[in-house]
Amino acid sequence: MAKSLQEQLMGAGLVDNKKAKAIKQEKRKKNKQVGRSGLAEEDAQKKARLERERLEKAERDRALNEKKKAELREREIQAQIRQLVNVNTLRVDGETGYQFADGAKIQKIYVDDQTVDALAKGRLALVRKGDSYAVVARPVAEKIAERDAAFVVVLNDGSGEKVDEDDPYKDYQIPDDLMW
């Protein structure tokens, strides 16, 4: 087997034991420093990765908090609308059927003649109340529409009372209770 370079140099008398030990010790120190700097690089990479993960987690948490706040705000609005409807619902039982469009469906509620007239002129409005409908005053319906317009089903603007002067049928008034 071939001898190591250090043993060959000692055999030739170029290096003595003391010098060989010093070289060996220096080599060991150098290897330790390289190992430490390698560890330092790994530590720096690990720290950078941990910092990146921490920032990503903070961003996810922030987004989740915003989503929860939005859901809470939506529930608050729904509660306000329910309270407005429950407190301001007008009791209007009658025998006259009032038909209205709710989305793609035609619905019908029974009210008295004065309510039909007020609904047509826009003084009253129809709003959703759970699975049914409620009649409320126009200002209440406007407050509900500010919060969520989907709850207001019928809110006439009352512009039907104004007659255009160029209208050839202005002398012929159409009754509000006309049912087709």
Side-chain angles (χ1 to χ4, degrees):
M1 244 211 248
K3 296 181 181 179
S4 69
L5 180 62
Q6 185 179 9
E7 291 174 354
Q8 289 175 10
L9 290 173
M10 282 176 50
L14 297 172
V15 179
D16 59 348
N17 274 342
K18 197 174 190 182
K19 184 79 171 171
K21 284 183 183 181
I23 292 173
K24 204 175 209 182
Q25 200 172 22
E26 190 177 315
K27 187 176 178 184
R28 197 175 319 125
K29 283 183 183 180
K30 192 174 183 181
N31 283 341
K32 268 191 174 181
Q33 287 177 350
V34 169
R36 284 187 182 152
S37 67
L39 289 177
E41 276 185 35
E42 288 178 17
D43 285 348
Q45 290 173 353
K46 189 175 183 180
K47 284 180 183 179
R49 182 177 44 84
L50 290 174
E51 181 67 19
R52 190 173 52 247
E53 288 175 359
R54 186 186 63 78
L55 291 174
E56 289 172 357
K57 184 180 183 314
E59 184 63 31
R60 283 193 309 265
D61 290 346
R62 194 175 7 262
L64 184 61
N65 284 340
E66 288 177 14
K67 184 179 175 185
K68 285 182 180 179
K69 284 180 183 178
E71 289 173 356
L72 180 63
R73 181 69 182 138
E74 183 65 27
R75 284 196 306 262
E76 287 175 358
I77 289 172
Q78 300 295 326
Q80 289 173 358
I81 291 172
R82 277 193 305 273
Q83 183 179 11
L84 281 170
V85 171
N86 289 337
V87 170
N88 297 299
T89 298
L90 302 175
R91 186 153 176 87
V92 287
D93 292 331
E95 296 178 0
T96 305
Y98 182 76
Q99 295 180 346
F100 57 95
D102 183 10
K105 294 183 179 181
I106 302 294
Q107 301 290 337
K108 185 175 190 176
I109 61 169
Y110 290 95
V111 294
D112 56 19
D113 292 333
Q114 294 171 343
T115 305
V116 170
D117 185 46
L119 283 167
K121 292 183 178 175
R123 293 189 305 255
L124 295 178
L126 279 175
V127 295
R128 293 183 202 285
K129 183 178 181 181
D131 294 336
S132 62
Y133 303 95
V135 177
V136 296
R138 181 181 188 88
V140 175
E142 289 171 349
K143 287 181 184 178
I144 292 170
E146 287 174 4
R147 287 165 175 80
D148 190 355
F151 277 85
V152 179
V153 180
V154 175
L155 178 59
N156 294 322
D157 60 1
S159 64
E161 297 175 8
K162 299 175 186 170
V163 178
D164 187 18
E165 293 185 21
D166 294 338
D167 187 12
Y169 297 104
K170 65 182 176 186
D171 296 333
Y172 306 102
Q173 201 66 10
I174 299 172
D176 290 333
D177 62 344
L178 179 66
M179 297 293 170
W180 299 93

